[in-house]
């Protein structure tokens, strides 16, 4: 346990010293919030059933932060560690392989939490962001989304032959998910074909669930979303544990 | 006492036999070198021996532990430097040492190690700012942090400039002086000759011979060549009076004597002096590992 905590603290330092991680997890989502917030404001609107534009977009941005940590930082870091034989070097130490993966998950969850906090604080200060939901529903939902998205990232990390391939795979998955899942642009304005595509993306279900709970919905309304996310987690976590290559 | 015992180790990648029925033992407190060209199977052998790779068949015992089954406990006694390992881009030297120290129950303090390897001034540097030689020194420090009885070094000096390589050699000798057993791989002949108490020549996955450096050369039945400037009468006289020589040649003012007898030069000098024959510019070419490799495998050494 002591060693696990030490590993987490080392990996935390590595993560926050990486400018790209900081930019995509902390700065970029805030930029999106400020950009779209300044365009549409946060006045109550009929479009959004009486909520403000920022109120109903924040859940999407939170999903975006989860996706950056889980689909980009996590697989890229781990595949680099494998390529540089860092994972192999750890095999010749008392450290448990599982703890290395766990520390990455914890660190990325931590960065997600910091990014989310920052986004919400700026949302409140700049746009008078309001929260209509129940934290007891929202926090477990965020954890569920993280588990699903992080397990996809873990699978990419485990099977990508090298860090370049991991980078390519994460870009191909992350960017379409970002724009097609409703995380950044509302699906209501999208053509039917995009809506159909979005149904195949796990992040869409995360966005639906989190957004619904944010404006006061209850988990009972989002059975499908929760079921899909849980399924993604079980399948991808299982696959990644089975296929993870240490070298 | 044998610290490392490898028996019938075999490892195949797809249809390529990287290591083919390799067996050897390493006594306590020596520097044992596995020497072979690139692709000979050295890294596969050392990684199997260090419990990092599962061989298809064979046994590995280290300090009376079954290295393939004992698990993580092995690394309390065995320090490892792996070939071509790099570290996190943004980690500092002292952070890396501190992290590795935290992994072991009885780790040695890393500050004296940094001082010993002349890295104290660099402890706040990022690993990426270190030279190749400095990175390899850190790799040894990390291998030593658990104060291991056995140290595995896989091509420690590959890619280093000659000066850095010499420095590493001194450090490896120190490990032996501290009573540790060193198992190292290298593809540098002169490194093996300089450092190793015992060497094991390996080629295409098979061990050619295991012996001391002198033993290997002796085994290859290589000839010492003595060449000097003298008249033809010197060659004729030596041909008639030297025993244990294969040939005495005379070309363009030079006499060449070929013999398996290492100290043939003494006999030559005694004979020439006794007969008052003048000679100068004596050259002795003593056979080295490179000649032995050529003789034993039929292949020229390729780096």
């Amino acid at each position: 346990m002591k060693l696990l905590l030490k590993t987490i603290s080392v990996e935390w330092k590595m993560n926050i010293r990486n400018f790209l991680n900081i930019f995509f997890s902390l700065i970029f989502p805030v930029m999106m919030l400020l950009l779209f917030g300044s365009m549409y404001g946060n006045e109550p609107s009929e479009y959004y059933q009486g909520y403000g534009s920022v109120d109903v977009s924040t859940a999407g941005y939170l999903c975006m932060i989860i996706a950056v940590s889980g689909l980009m930082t996590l697989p890229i870091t781990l595949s680099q560690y494998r390529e540089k034989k860092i994972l192999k070097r750890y095999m010749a130490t008392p450290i448990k392989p599982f703890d290395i993966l766990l520390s990455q998950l914890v660190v990325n969850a931590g960065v997600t939490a910091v990014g989310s906090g920052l986004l919400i604080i700026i949302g409140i200060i700049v746009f008078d962001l309001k929260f209509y939901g129940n934290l007891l529903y929202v926090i477990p939902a965020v954890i569920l989304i993280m588990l699903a998205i992080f397990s996809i990232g873990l699978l990419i990390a485990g099977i990508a032959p090298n860090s370049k391939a991991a980078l390519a795979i994460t870009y191909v998955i992350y960017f379409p998910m970002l724009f097609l899942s409703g995380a950044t642009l509302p699906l209501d304005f999208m053509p039917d074909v995009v809506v159909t595509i979005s149904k195949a993306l796990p992040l869409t279900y995360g966005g639906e669930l989190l957004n619904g709970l944010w404006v006061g919905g209850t988990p009972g309304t989002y059975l499908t979303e929760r079921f899909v996310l849980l399924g993604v987690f079980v399948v991808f976590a299982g696959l990644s544990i089975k296929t993870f290559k240490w070298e | 006492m044998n610290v490392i015992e490898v028996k019938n180790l075999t490892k195949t990648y797809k249809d390529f036999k990287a290591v083919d029925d390799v067996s050897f033992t390493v006594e306590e407190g020596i520097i044992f070198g596995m020497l072979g060209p690139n692709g000979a199977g050295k890294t596969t052998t050392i990684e199997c021996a260090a419990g990092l790779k599962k061989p298809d068949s064979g046994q590995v015992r280290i300090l009376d532990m079954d290295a393939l089954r004992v698990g993580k406990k092995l690394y309390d006694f065995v320090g490892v430097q792996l070939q071509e390992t790099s570290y996190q881009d943004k980690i500092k030297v002292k952070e890396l040492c501190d992290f590795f120290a935290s992994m072991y129950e009885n780790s040695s303090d890393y500050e004296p190690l940094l001082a010993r390897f002349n890295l104290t001034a660099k402890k706040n540097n990022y690993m990426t700012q270190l030279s190749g030689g400095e990175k390899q020194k850190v790799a040894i420090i990390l291998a030593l942090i658990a104060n291991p009885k056995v140290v595995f070094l896989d091509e420690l000096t590959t890619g280093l400039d000659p000066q850095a390589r010499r420095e590493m050699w001194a450090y490896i000798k120190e490990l032996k002086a501290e009573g540790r057993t060193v198992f190292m791989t290298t593809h540098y002949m002169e490194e093996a000759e300089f450092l190793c108490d015992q060497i094991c020549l390996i080629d295409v996955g098979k061990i050619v011979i295991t012996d001391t450096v002198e033993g290997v050369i002796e085994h290859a039945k290589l000839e010492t060549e003595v060449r000097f400037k003298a008249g033809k009468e010197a060659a004729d006289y030596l041909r008639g009076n030297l025993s244990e020589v294969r040939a005495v040649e005379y070309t363009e003012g030079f006499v060449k004597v070929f013999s398996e007898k290492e100290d043939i030069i003494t006999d030559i000098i005694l004979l020439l002096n006794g007969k008052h024959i003048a000679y100068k510019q004596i050259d002795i070419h003593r056979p080295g590992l490179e000649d032995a490799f050529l003789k034993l495998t039929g292949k020229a050494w390729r780096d």
Side-chain angles (χ1 to χ4, degrees), chain B:
Chain B
M1 187 192 127
N2 287 333
V3 170
I4 305 172
E5 288 180 9
V6 173
K7 258 188 221 153
N8 310 110
L9 197 72
T10 298
K11 175 81 185 172
T12 309
Y13 301 114
K14 287 185 184 134
D15 49 0
F16 167 65
K17 235 179 194 176
V19 174
D20 189 1
D21 197 27
V22 160
S23 304
F24 59 89
T25 55
V26 179
E27 279 167 49
E28 185 175 15
I30 70 161
I31 301 178
F32 182 92
M34 180 166 261
L35 176 68
N38 286 325
K42 301 186 296 293
T43 295
T44 305
T45 305
I46 204 169
E47 288 183 357
C48 286
L52 291 170
K53 208 165 241 164
K54 230 181 142 47
D56 302 335
S57 59
Q59 289 108 46
V60 181
R61 292 196 73 78
I62 297 177
L63 298 163
D64 267 324
M65 291 178 284
D66 182 341
L68 304 174
R69 277 170 203 87
V70 70
K72 295 285 193 183
K73 189 173 164 259
L74 185 67
Y75 306 114
D76 288 335
F77 307 95
V78 176
V80 177
Q81 170 262 325
L82 295 172
Q83 200 185 343
E84 286 172 2
T85 302
S86 46
Y87 303 92
Q88 287 94 327
D89 288 340
K90 300 282 177 173
I91 201 158
K92 290 176 184 169
V93 174
K94 69 168 182 196
E95 289 171 342
L96 192 59
C97 293
D98 178 57
F99 182 36
F100 271 71
S102 75
M103 294 178 187
Y104 302 93
E105 302 266 324
N106 303 308
S107 58
S108 20
D109 188 4
Y110 62 85
E111 292 282 357
L113 281 171
L114 284 172
R116 176 175 146 195
F117 286 85
N118 221 353
L119 281 176
T120 305
K122 304 262 175 161
K123 68 178 180 180
N124 286 313
N125 285 40
Y126 288 112
M127 283 300 290
T128 43
Q129 296 169 317
L130 300 189
S131 70
E134 288 165 344
K135 278 183 192 157
Q136 293 302 66
K137 287 194 217 167
V138 174
I140 306 184
I141 292 177
L142 298 181
L144 291 182
I145 243 164
N147 201 14
K149 290 193 167 70
V150 184
V151 182
F152 285 82
L153 305 172
D154 192 11
E155 305 235 356
L156 181 69
T157 66
T158 297
L160 299 185
D161 60 67
Q163 196 192 341
R165 182 170 302 147
R166 292 271 163 188
E167 211 184 337
M168 288 300 151
W169 289 0
Y171 287 127
I172 297 173
K173 289 251 182 193
E174 271 181 34
L175 300 184
K176 180 188 165 184
E178 291 170 334
R180 304 184 210 271
T181 307
V182 178
F183 175 25
M184 58 179 284
T185 68
T186 180
H187 65 263
Y188 296 116
M189 294 277 183
E190 71 279 18
E191 183 163 300
E193 292 199 57
F194 182 77
L195 285 176
C196 300
D197 301 301
Q198 266 220 315
I199 61 165
C200 146
L201 275 184
I202 185 168
D203 188 42
V204 290
K206 279 184 184 289
I207 288 188
V208 180
I209 185 174
T210 308
D211 207 330
T212 57
V213 172
E214 297 75 33
V216 169
I217 293 167
E218 205 170 296
H219 185 90
K221 300 210 178 304
L222 292 163
E223 293 175 337
T224 297
E225 179 191 328
V226 180
R227 178 175 169 275
F228 56 90
K229 201 166 192 175
K232 188 166 185 305
E233 74 280 7
D236 293 336
Y237 181 66
L238 290 175
R239 202 172 287 130
N241 293 282
L242 265 180
S243 55
E244 293 181 70
V245 294
R246 181 180 60 79
V248 179
E249 290 173 4
Y250 181 78
T251 39
E252 293 167 28
F254 279 93
V255 179
K256 281 185 188 173
V257 180
F258 299 92
S259 169
E260 276 178 34
K261 199 175 167 190
E262 206 196 312
D263 56 354
I264 191 74
I265 181 71
T266 321
D267 301 0
I268 295 172
I269 301 286
L270 281 175
L271 282 171
L272 293 179
N273 284 352
K275 195 77 177 159
H276 301 292
I277 300 174
Y279 55 89
K280 53 186 176 181
Q281 296 178 23
I282 298 184
D283 269 328
I284 304 174
H285 176 70
R286 292 192 35 214
L289 278 177
E290 201 162 337
D291 307 285
F293 186 83
L294 177 68
K295 185 86 181 279
L296 292 169
T297 66
K299 282 183 243 173
W301 182 260
R302 53 204 147 85
D303 259 350

Side-chain angles (χ1 to χ4, degrees), chain A residues 23-69:
Chain A
F23 179 78
F24 278 109
S25 312
L26 269 53
I27 302 171
F28 187 61
V30 169
M31 281 167 57
M32 298 287 276
L33 173 79
L34 292 173
L35 177 70
F36 285 103
S38 62
M39 280 163 68
Y40 302 116
N42 197 24
E43 296 306 311
S45 149
E46 290 169 32
Y47 266 132
Y48 307 114
Q49 292 86 42
Y51 301 109
S53 159
V54 173
D55 296 339
V56 295
S57 317
T58 301
Y61 297 136
L62 297 183
C63 286
M64 189 171 120
I65 299 171
I66 295 174
V68 168
S69 300

